[in-house]
Amino acid sequence: MTIVKTKDFLEDARRILSEGGLVAFPTETVYGLGADARNAIACRRIYEAKGRPSDNPLIVHIGEVEQLEELVREIPDKARKLMDAFWPGPLTLILKKTDLVPDSITGGLDTVAVRMPSHPVARELLIGTKIPVAAPSANLSGRPSPTCAKHVLDDLQGRIDMLIDGGPVEIGIESTILDVTGEEPVILRPGHITKEMIEVVIGEETERSNWDGKREEAPKAPGMKYRHYAPKGTLILLKGTFDERVRYVQHELQRGVSARIALLTKDQDMDRLQDYFPGVIILSYGNGDVDEASRRLYGLLRQCDDLDISVIYSSVFAPEGKGFAIMNRLEKAAACRIVDCSEV
Ligand code: TXA
Ligand code: MG
């Protein structure tokens, strides 16, 4: 496997993608694992490398809007406005696909997910090769998405042909996914482009997909039905004031939770928590800023794995704006284990 820093990767990447190989590369959200989207055999290798269920479709990454011509049948006005406003950037649009997009990368759906990432390395790769690149996050299926090259290596070394190391990513959680194929746009996955930002641009309300994983029908983004973003330990989200959370964890420890535990919190609480829980591993989301927290989130969950933590207690974020997206990922990683400490 070739591992390159961000200089002079283009020729190797072009050759590998053209020959049906797999190239991991940085985007502003998370690292992606890419193959030529028009090459069904190459794309099948993505599923094999990740251990990804074959009905979970891939996002196609492009460098220029003109590339949409071969990928999608129509571009609704709303979609155009959103592309003008947010591309390149962390917004994925679901559009009706052409026959050039292999069914195997859309899980048999007649739609395709497309996005134009803004990371300079991703842009150089996509504009330089002119290849539409199908790329899921570059992690083993079920593990937290990779936010630096080391995470990609930890999961995929020996399974891919090339890794372009662009350092740590800027955003840290995956793009917002918006379905614009119906009457009303529907957010299938929240991200840093928020519902409010989308509504300002299109001048109308958007829906949020409210699939809760329990109903019979399939979710609109097939990936949503799988347990996602999961650390190896059990993650438990704690709501409540600092004192209420401390009391809850003390109680759990007294009850004999003999597990190796970690606490995830913000900088301001680190020292006070360490006083209450000497010897316990305490990790920080930063100073409470949601951008910083989302940049750190998956790295912290992976760090807990490396430290063999079996129970992780995490504080929560206000589910507003970008905080809504962080909470979406945390709730999935925690399989909805949320304790309101003011009530126990
Ligand atoms: O930020 C991102 O979006 C990153 C970077 C690498 O671009 N990619 C990413 O891909 O998160 P992945 O494969 O981990 O997540 C793609 C999600 C899945 O939940 C999948 O079900 C959904 O997109 N998806 C893909 N195509 C779809 C379609 N045609 N209709 C509905 N959902 C779709
Ligand atoms: Mg993923």
Side-chain angles (χ1 to χ4, degrees):
M1 182 178 86
T2 319
I3 304 177
V4 290
K5 293 281 178 189
T6 47
K7 273 187 77 183
D8 301 330
F9 62 82
L10 193 56
E11 282 320 306
D12 282 347
R14 188 202 317 273
R15 180 179 45 77
I16 290 170
L17 289 174
S18 308
E19 289 170 357
L22 303 185
V23 176
F25 62 100
T27 82
E28 70 281 17
T29 57
V30 299
Y31 275 70
L33 177 59
D36 184 335
R38 301 159 301 189
N39 182 338
I41 295 167
C43 292
R44 194 176 322 133
R45 293 190 56 217
I46 294 180
Y47 288 88
E48 282 163 15
K50 283 184 56 108
R52 181 179 178 103
S54 61
D55 65 346
N56 192 357
L58 307 179
I59 296 174
V60 179
H61 297 66
I62 55 173
E64 327 218 40
V65 176
E66 293 69 53
Q67 287 177 283
L68 283 178
E69 264 167 47
E70 61 171 347
L71 302 174
V72 309
R73 273 190 278 145
E74 60 188 27
I75 305 177
D77 283 348
K78 279 173 225 166
R80 287 238 182 253
K81 285 187 189 159
L82 292 163
M83 289 171 196
D84 288 344
F86 299 120
W87 280 8
L91 175 69
T92 296
L93 295 173
I94 307 292
L95 295 161
K96 294 195 174 127
K97 82 174 195 70
T98 63
D99 292 340
L100 262 175
V101 179
D103 289 335
S104 56
I105 75 160
T106 66
L109 298 171
D110 61 0
T111 56
V112 61
V114 280
R115 104 171 178 91
M116 184 189 287
S118 62
H119 192 290
V121 172
R123 286 198 60 70
E124 188 176 344
L125 174 74
L126 296 165
I127 294 171
T129 62
K130 297 194 180 359
I131 296 173
V133 174
S137 49
N139 52 286
L140 284 175
S141 202
R143 299 224 50 216
S145 292
T147 55
C148 64
K150 178 181 179 293
H151 297 163
V152 179
L153 282 179
D154 287 347
D155 281 16
L156 298 176
Q157 189 154 30
R159 294 166 177 251
I160 62 180
D161 303 297
M162 182 177 188
L163 163 62
I164 309 170
D165 179 353
V169 301
E170 180 68 30
I171 293 181
I173 58 175
E174 307 83 350
S175 60
T176 305
I177 302 181
L178 185 71
D179 184 347
V180 283
T181 58
E183 266 300 294
E184 198 168 58
V186 184
I187 297 176
L188 304 184
R189 180 175 71 183
H192 269 210
I193 307 285
T194 63
K195 184 173 189 289
E196 295 75 22
M197 289 160 74
I198 291 168
E199 288 173 353
V200 166
V201 170
I202 57 177
E204 65 176 280
E205 292 260 316
T206 58
E207 287 288 305
R208 274 190 179 120
S209 165
N210 59 359
W211 190 77
D212 59 6
K214 296 191 190 96
R215 282 182 279 140
E216 289 293 294
E217 78 216 56
K220 282 203 84 185
M224 289 164 76
K225 71 171 171 275
Y226 298 105
R227 183 168 178 249
H228 247 147
Y229 323 116
K232 290 180 197 147
T234 302
L235 174 64
I236 301 170
L237 308 182
L238 304 183
K239 283 192 186 168
T241 64
F242 178 85
D243 291 336
E244 287 162 350
R245 286 181 281 132
V246 165
R247 198 153 30 84
Y248 177 79
V249 175
Q250 279 175 329
H251 185 250
E252 288 300 287
L253 291 178
Q254 278 156 13
R255 250 181 8 116
V257 177
S258 55
R260 210 171 135 72
I261 74 163
L263 307 177
L264 303 188
T265 188
K266 54 181 190 253
D267 290 347
Q268 297 87 312
D269 292 341
M270 294 283 282
D271 292 346
R272 286 196 291 162
L273 272 180
Q274 202 74 78
D275 290 343
Y276 279 106
F277 303 107
V280 166
I281 289 163
I282 305 179
L283 304 170
S284 177
Y285 285 111
N287 62 10
D289 170 58
V290 282
D291 287 334
E292 179 70 31
S294 70
R295 214 166 12 245
R296 290 192 191 190
L297 172 64
Y298 290 142
L300 290 175
L301 297 181
R302 282 176 177 262
Q303 204 178 335
C304 289
D305 286 352
D306 294 344
L307 292 167
D308 259 331
I309 302 296
S310 45
V311 181
I312 309 164
Y313 295 106
S314 170
S315 55
V316 295
F317 297 85
E320 294 150 10
K322 295 172 184 172
F324 190 85
I326 303 186
M327 283 308 293
N328 169 269
R329 306 309 194 270
L330 272 173
E331 282 167 14
K332 284 190 172 220
C336 294
R337 281 178 293 260
I338 306 174
V339 179
D340 186 345
C341 300
S342 67
E343 287 176 359
V344 287

mmCIF file of all heavy atoms in Angstrom, residues 65 68-69 72-81 83 93 95-96 180:
data_model
loop_
_atom_site.group_PDB
_atom_site.id
_atom_site.type_symbol
_atom_site.label_atom_id
_atom_site.label_comp_id
_atom_site.label_asym_id
_atom_site.label_seq_id
_atom_site.Cartn_x
_atom_site.Cartn_y
_atom_site.Cartn_z
ATOM 1 N N VAL A 65 -19.498 20.804 -10.911
ATOM 2 C CA VAL A 65 -20.935 20.561 -11.091
ATOM 3 C C VAL A 65 -21.216 19.853 -12.422
ATOM 4 O O VAL A 65 -22.128 19.026 -12.515
ATOM 5 C CB VAL A 65 -21.725 21.892 -10.996
ATOM 6 C CG1 VAL A 65 -23.197 21.664 -11.286
ATOM 7 C CG2 VAL A 65 -21.568 22.500 -9.616
ATOM 8 N N LEU A 68 -22.133 16.191 -12.818
ATOM 9 C CA LEU A 68 -23.457 15.660 -12.494
ATOM 10 C C LEU A 68 -24.167 15.141 -13.732
ATOM 11 O O LEU A 68 -25.031 14.268 -13.649
ATOM 12 C CB LEU A 68 -24.314 16.734 -11.833
ATOM 13 C CG LEU A 68 -24.007 17.037 -10.368
ATOM 14 C CD1 LEU A 68 -24.902 18.157 -9.884
ATOM 15 C CD2 LEU A 68 -24.217 15.791 -9.513
ATOM 16 N N GLU A 69 -23.816 15.708 -14.898
ATOM 17 C CA GLU A 69 -24.509 15.348 -16.126
ATOM 18 C C GLU A 69 -24.580 13.853 -16.358
ATOM 19 O O GLU A 69 -25.598 13.319 -16.754
ATOM 20 C CB GLU A 69 -23.821 15.991 -17.326
ATOM 21 C CG GLU A 69 -24.483 17.283 -17.714
ATOM 22 C CD GLU A 69 -23.615 18.073 -18.681
ATOM 23 O OE1 GLU A 69 -23.115 17.463 -19.651
ATOM 24 O OE2 GLU A 69 -23.427 19.279 -18.429
ATOM 25 N N VAL A 72 -26.771 12.164 -12.817
ATOM 26 C CA VAL A 72 -28.159 12.367 -12.391
ATOM 27 C C VAL A 72 -29.053 12.786 -13.555
ATOM 28 O O VAL A 72 -28.603 13.391 -14.520
ATOM 29 C CB VAL A 72 -28.270 13.406 -11.236
ATOM 30 C CG1 VAL A 72 -27.314 13.054 -10.110
ATOM 31 C CG2 VAL A 72 -28.024 14.824 -11.718
ATOM 32 N N ARG A 73 -30.357 12.439 -13.421
ATOM 33 C CA ARG A 73 -31.293 12.678 -14.524
ATOM 34 C C ARG A 73 -31.808 14.099 -14.518
ATOM 35 O O ARG A 73 -32.095 14.666 -15.557
ATOM 36 C CB ARG A 73 -32.463 11.700 -14.414
ATOM 37 C CG ARG A 73 -32.155 10.368 -15.113
ATOM 38 C CD ARG A 73 -33.384 9.526 -15.205
ATOM 39 N NE ARG A 73 -33.594 8.829 -13.946
ATOM 40 C CZ ARG A 73 -34.779 8.574 -13.429
ATOM 41 N NH1 ARG A 73 -35.874 8.979 -14.042
ATOM 42 N NH2 ARG A 73 -34.882 7.918 -12.295
ATOM 43 N N GLU A 74 -31.994 14.670 -13.329
ATOM 44 C CA GLU A 74 -32.490 16.052 -13.284
ATOM 45 C C GLU A 74 -31.995 16.720 -12.017
ATOM 46 O O GLU A 74 -31.691 16.057 -11.027
ATOM 47 C CB GLU A 74 -34.018 16.074 -13.326
ATOM 48 C CG GLU A 74 -34.634 15.337 -12.157
ATOM 49 C CD GLU A 74 -36.134 15.169 -12.269
ATOM 50 O OE1 GLU A 74 -36.646 15.147 -13.397
ATOM 51 O OE2 GLU A 74 -36.785 15.065 -11.224
ATOM 52 N N ILE A 75 -31.903 18.051 -12.099
ATOM 53 C CA ILE A 75 -31.479 18.815 -10.925
ATOM 54 C C ILE A 75 -32.578 19.817 -10.601
ATOM 55 O O ILE A 75 -32.736 20.834 -11.288
ATOM 56 C CB ILE A 75 -30.150 19.555 -11.186
ATOM 57 C CG1 ILE A 75 -29.072 18.561 -11.655
ATOM 58 C CG2 ILE A 75 -29.695 20.293 -9.926
ATOM 59 C CD1 ILE A 75 -27.747 19.214 -12.010
ATOM 60 N N PRO A 76 -33.396 19.526 -9.579
ATOM 61 C CA PRO A 76 -34.482 20.457 -9.231
ATOM 62 C C PRO A 76 -33.910 21.832 -8.853
ATOM 63 O O PRO A 76 -32.756 21.927 -8.421
ATOM 64 C CB PRO A 76 -35.141 19.805 -8.008
ATOM 65 C CG PRO A 76 -34.610 18.408 -7.936
ATOM 66 C CD PRO A 76 -33.325 18.376 -8.678
ATOM 67 N N ASP A 77 -34.713 22.881 -9.007
ATOM 68 C CA ASP A 77 -34.266 24.249 -8.684
ATOM 69 C C ASP A 77 -33.708 24.371 -7.278
ATOM 70 O O ASP A 77 -32.688 25.018 -7.051
ATOM 71 C CB ASP A 77 -35.440 25.235 -8.817
ATOM 72 C CG ASP A 77 -35.701 25.538 -10.275
ATOM 73 O OD1 ASP A 77 -34.836 25.172 -11.107
ATOM 74 O OD2 ASP A 77 -36.768 26.109 -10.575
ATOM 75 N N LYS A 78 -34.424 23.716 -6.342
ATOM 76 C CA LYS A 78 -33.979 23.781 -4.938
ATOM 77 C C LYS A 78 -32.564 23.240 -4.807
ATOM 78 O O LYS A 78 -31.739 23.785 -4.072
ATOM 79 C CB LYS A 78 -34.868 22.882 -4.069
ATOM 80 C CG LYS A 78 -36.163 23.476 -3.681
ATOM 81 C CD LYS A 78 -37.004 22.418 -2.974
ATOM 82 C CE LYS A 78 -38.401 22.503 -3.532
ATOM 83 N NZ LYS A 78 -39.265 21.397 -3.219
ATOM 84 N N ALA A 79 -32.317 22.160 -5.529
ATOM 85 C CA ALA A 79 -30.992 21.541 -5.442
ATOM 86 C C ALA A 79 -29.927 22.501 -5.970
ATOM 87 O O ALA A 79 -28.856 22.645 -5.387
ATOM 88 C CB ALA A 79 -30.982 20.228 -6.222
ATOM 89 N N ARG A 80 -30.259 23.174 -7.072
ATOM 90 C CA ARG A 80 -29.311 24.158 -7.643
ATOM 91 C C ARG A 80 -28.966 25.247 -6.640
ATOM 92 O O ARG A 80 -27.807 25.607 -6.466
ATOM 93 C CB ARG A 80 -29.905 24.832 -8.876
ATOM 94 C CG ARG A 80 -29.956 23.970 -10.059
ATOM 95 C CD ARG A 80 -29.184 24.595 -11.251
ATOM 96 N NE ARG A 80 -29.333 23.696 -12.382
ATOM 97 C CZ ARG A 80 -28.387 22.923 -12.857
ATOM 98 N NH1 ARG A 80 -27.170 22.978 -12.337
ATOM 99 N NH2 ARG A 80 -28.610 22.104 -13.851
ATOM 100 N N LYS A 81 -30.008 25.752 -5.981
ATOM 101 C CA LYS A 81 -29.775 26.823 -5.002
ATOM 102 C C LYS A 81 -28.865 26.325 -3.876
ATOM 103 O O LYS A 81 -27.976 27.043 -3.424
ATOM 104 C CB LYS A 81 -31.114 27.257 -4.373
ATOM 105 C CG LYS A 81 -31.965 28.093 -5.283
ATOM 106 C CD LYS A 81 -33.176 28.607 -4.502
ATOM 107 C CE LYS A 81 -34.163 29.272 -5.437
ATOM 108 N NZ LYS A 81 -35.502 29.342 -4.886
ATOM 109 N N MET A 83 -26.692 23.866 -4.029
ATOM 110 C CA MET A 83 -25.318 23.678 -4.538
ATOM 111 C C MET A 83 -24.591 25.011 -4.579
ATOM 112 O O MET A 83 -23.440 25.116 -4.189
ATOM 113 C CB MET A 83 -25.350 23.111 -5.952
ATOM 114 C CG MET A 83 -25.792 21.684 -6.020
ATOM 115 S SD MET A 83 -26.035 21.275 -7.776
ATOM 116 C CE MET A 83 -26.978 19.797 -7.589
ATOM 117 N N LEU A 93 -26.517 15.618 -1.509
ATOM 118 C CA LEU A 93 -27.876 15.680 -2.057
ATOM 119 C C LEU A 93 -28.251 14.335 -2.675
ATOM 120 O O LEU A 93 -27.433 13.711 -3.363
ATOM 121 C CB LEU A 93 -27.946 16.766 -3.142
ATOM 122 C CG LEU A 93 -27.717 18.188 -2.636
ATOM 123 C CD1 LEU A 93 -27.638 19.163 -3.814
ATOM 124 C CD2 LEU A 93 -28.823 18.619 -1.671
ATOM 125 N N LEU A 95 -30.345 12.589 -5.457
ATOM 126 C CA LEU A 95 -30.956 12.951 -6.745
ATOM 127 C C LEU A 95 -31.276 11.676 -7.533
ATOM 128 O O LEU A 95 -30.803 10.593 -7.184
ATOM 129 C CB LEU A 95 -29.977 13.833 -7.535
ATOM 130 C CG LEU A 95 -29.679 15.205 -6.898
ATOM 131 C CD1 LEU A 95 -28.392 15.799 -7.447
ATOM 132 C CD2 LEU A 95 -30.852 16.156 -7.120
ATOM 133 N N LYS A 96 -32.081 11.829 -8.601
ATOM 134 C CA LYS A 96 -32.436 10.640 -9.403
ATOM 135 C C LYS A 96 -31.259 10.253 -10.287
ATOM 136 O O LYS A 96 -30.704 11.088 -10.992
ATOM 137 C CB LYS A 96 -33.664 10.945 -10.246
ATOM 138 C CG LYS A 96 -34.861 11.161 -9.349
ATOM 139 C CD LYS A 96 -36.178 11.118 -10.107
ATOM 140 C CE LYS A 96 -37.334 11.203 -9.135
ATOM 141 N NZ LYS A 96 -38.289 12.269 -9.462
ATOM 142 N N VAL A 180 -33.701 15.523 -2.094
ATOM 143 C CA VAL A 180 -34.450 16.552 -2.822
ATOM 144 C C VAL A 180 -35.226 15.941 -3.996
ATOM 145 O O VAL A 180 -35.539 16.626 -4.960
ATOM 146 C CB VAL A 180 -33.515 17.687 -3.328
ATOM 147 C CG1 VAL A 180 -33.145 18.625 -2.199
ATOM 148 C CG2 VAL A 180 -32.267 17.142 -3.996
#
